[in-house]
Amino acid sequence: MDKVDSKILEELTKDARTSFRKIAKMVDKSPDTIINHYEKLQEKGLIRGSTVIINLRSINYEGLAAFQIDVSTDKSKKIDINKILETLIKMPNIIMATKTVGDHDLLAIGVIHDFDHMMKINEEISEIKGIRDIQTALWASGEEICSKYFIV
Amino acid sequence: MKFDQKDLKIIRSLQRDARTNFADIAKECNVSIDTVIKRFNRLKKNGIVKGTTILLNPRLLDYECIASFEVDVDPGELASFAVQVRKQKGIIFCTPTVGIHNLFAVAVQHDMKELSTLKENLKAFPHVRDIQTSIWVDDILLCPENFELTNLIKGD
């Protein structure tokens, strides 16, 4: 990571559509240099992608929920935690999922329209094979998630 | 506000890649580039789109330890505690919650030692009763496209 890299990250975090020409001017380099740096950052996986930040309330999402999931320890069921993770992230309204070490095995964050909707998602998750327990935490959608690492 | 198939396509394209050329989106929607630009600006003006951003991998920025905390704090002190938590180094998200615990926070830290120090600091606050920590392992899977947008289209 050098100065050019950090400038690229800084500018694109603020606005992912900033032109490379504009960034080039800021650091006094050619646009080609910026493109090279940008492509390397992508290759290394430092930049995972880019997305739009949507105002949740404006698209009728009143809140978010964190689902902390416990996976069954029943050996006879042959449960694959990675498969559960895959199923979770493919579900509509689930915007983030990860394995965790601690009191629970998985964490998924979802966007929710209202209380009924949350109950429905909860039910859908509990229907996934191998899930023993779900603990839900709910919050209103005004709270901003750091969009650099996540979305919303 | 009016929201139609074209708006939906614009948002979907940009959710997948915010740097998508407006010319490509125009071709996909069968409209002119000007129309795409106009619509994108309208989506911003109407407050549906707040902006665009890149998604970074915190682990490759030397933030090896990513964890979420669920905190039990005396309800009367929750608001002021949340303000304090947001000031802690490495906290990237913090919100009061409804559920078994009453605060949810996410932190990125360089190593386990830093994470443990942060947890001790949080625990040292008065009125904090308990903290439950989950350390995120492996890939953090993100899917910005999972937002439901089709229900916004009326009479289409």
Side-chain angles (χ1 to χ4, degrees):
Chain A
M1 275 274 282
D2 59 17
K3 260 179 147 175
V4 177
D5 290 329
S6 53
K7 191 72 193 169
I8 292 174
L9 295 187
E10 189 196 322
E11 290 306 317
L12 294 183
T13 303
K14 275 189 265 170
D15 178 2
R17 295 192 64 85
T18 310
S19 73
F20 291 136
R21 193 182 300 271
K22 201 172 158 195
I23 299 173
K25 261 190 198 151
M26 289 175 191
V27 288
D28 209 13
K29 295 265 195 284
S30 74
D32 279 345
T33 311
I34 305 299
I35 293 171
N36 273 337
H37 277 258
Y38 175 75
E39 281 172 355
K40 281 222 180 82
L41 287 169
Q42 266 188 324
E43 263 165 46
K44 281 189 220 153
L46 230 135
I47 297 178
R48 309 177 63 178
S50 58
T51 194
V52 279
I53 309 165
I54 294 176
N55 178 349
L56 286 183
R57 284 242 163 83
S58 78
I59 56 169
N60 305 328
Y61 282 111
E62 289 300 320
L64 286 101
F67 302 97
Q68 305 246 46
I69 299 162
D70 293 339
V71 173
S72 166
T73 48
D74 188 343
K75 303 290 177 298
S76 64
K77 284 184 186 159
K78 289 205 179 77
I79 294 146
D80 182 353
I81 189 164
N82 292 312
K83 271 217 182 97
I84 298 178
L85 190 65
E86 257 171 58
T87 312
L88 278 172
I89 197 64
K90 278 188 199 143
M91 282 173 62
N93 304 303
I94 297 293
I95 55 167
M96 178 254 152
T98 184
K99 284 198 260 183
T100 57
V101 171
D103 287 301
H104 309 281
D105 302 313
L106 293 160
L107 169 73
I109 294 180
V111 284
I112 54 172
H113 294 302
D114 51 34
F115 197 72
D116 284 345
H117 187 223
M118 190 204 74
M119 295 297 285
K120 215 181 114 214
I121 297 179
N122 220 47
E123 218 168 275
E124 279 166 13
I125 295 176
S126 63
E127 277 164 11
I128 300 173
K129 200 182 133 224
I131 286 180
R132 190 168 49 96
D133 197 22
I134 308 170
Q135 192 179 301
T136 315
L138 187 70
W139 66 87
S141 60
E143 203 64 48
E144 292 221 11
I145 290 189
C146 171
S147 50
K148 233 160 76 168
Y149 303 126
F150 305 100
I151 31 179
V152 179
Chain B
M1 82 145 251
K2 268 187 7 210
F3 187 94
D4 63 17
Q5 283 291 348
K6 282 171 192 137
D7 294 309
L8 183 71
K9 270 195 180 154
I10 293 170
I11 291 190
R12 283 291 183 229
S13 305
L14 296 176
Q15 272 180 328
R16 260 172 256 138
D17 178 3
R19 292 190 67 87
T20 310
N21 268 328
F22 281 154
D24 293 340
I25 300 176
K27 219 185 263 169
E28 202 195 319
C29 299
N30 229 343
V31 293
S32 71
I33 299 177
D34 280 350
T35 308
V36 176
I37 295 172
K38 226 186 262 167
R39 287 197 175 235
F40 181 62
N41 287 335
R42 197 179 69 184
L43 287 168
K44 282 210 278 197
K45 216 178 119 199
N46 288 334
I48 290 186
V49 168
K50 283 203 265 186
T52 57
T53 192
I54 40 171
L55 296 165
L56 304 177
N57 184 343
R59 285 193 231 274
L60 293 175
L61 287 163
D62 287 330
Y63 289 111
E64 286 288 334
C65 274
I66 306 157
S68 48
F69 299 111
E70 287 196 280
V71 188
D72 291 336
V73 57
D74 292 343
E77 305 295 328
L78 183 59
S80 60
F81 176 66
V83 172
Q84 292 302 317
V85 174
R86 286 192 189 99
K87 283 185 194 155
Q88 300 288 313
K89 221 177 129 209
I91 294 283
I92 58 167
F93 179 67
C94 165
T95 180
T97 56
V98 179
I100 297 175
H101 311 280
N102 50 18
L103 184 124
F104 180 79
V106 179
V108 292
Q109 301 278 262
H110 292 103
D111 51 40
M112 268 310 182
K113 201 172 161 233
E114 253 187 35
L115 184 66
S116 136
T117 310
L118 175 65
K119 188 190 171 178
E120 279 162 28
N121 287 345
L122 293 179
K123 231 175 177 168
F125 275 102
H127 314 293
V128 170
R129 280 181 254 157
D130 193 22
I131 300 182
Q132 195 177 302
T133 316
S134 292
I135 297 165
W136 300 10
V137 287
D138 250 9
D139 289 335
I140 305 165
L141 306 181
L142 300 175
C143 195
E145 287 168 56
N146 279 358
F147 291 107
E148 286 175 335
L149 296 168
T150 39
N151 53 0
L152 290 175
I153 300 172
K154 286 167 203 128
D156 199 77

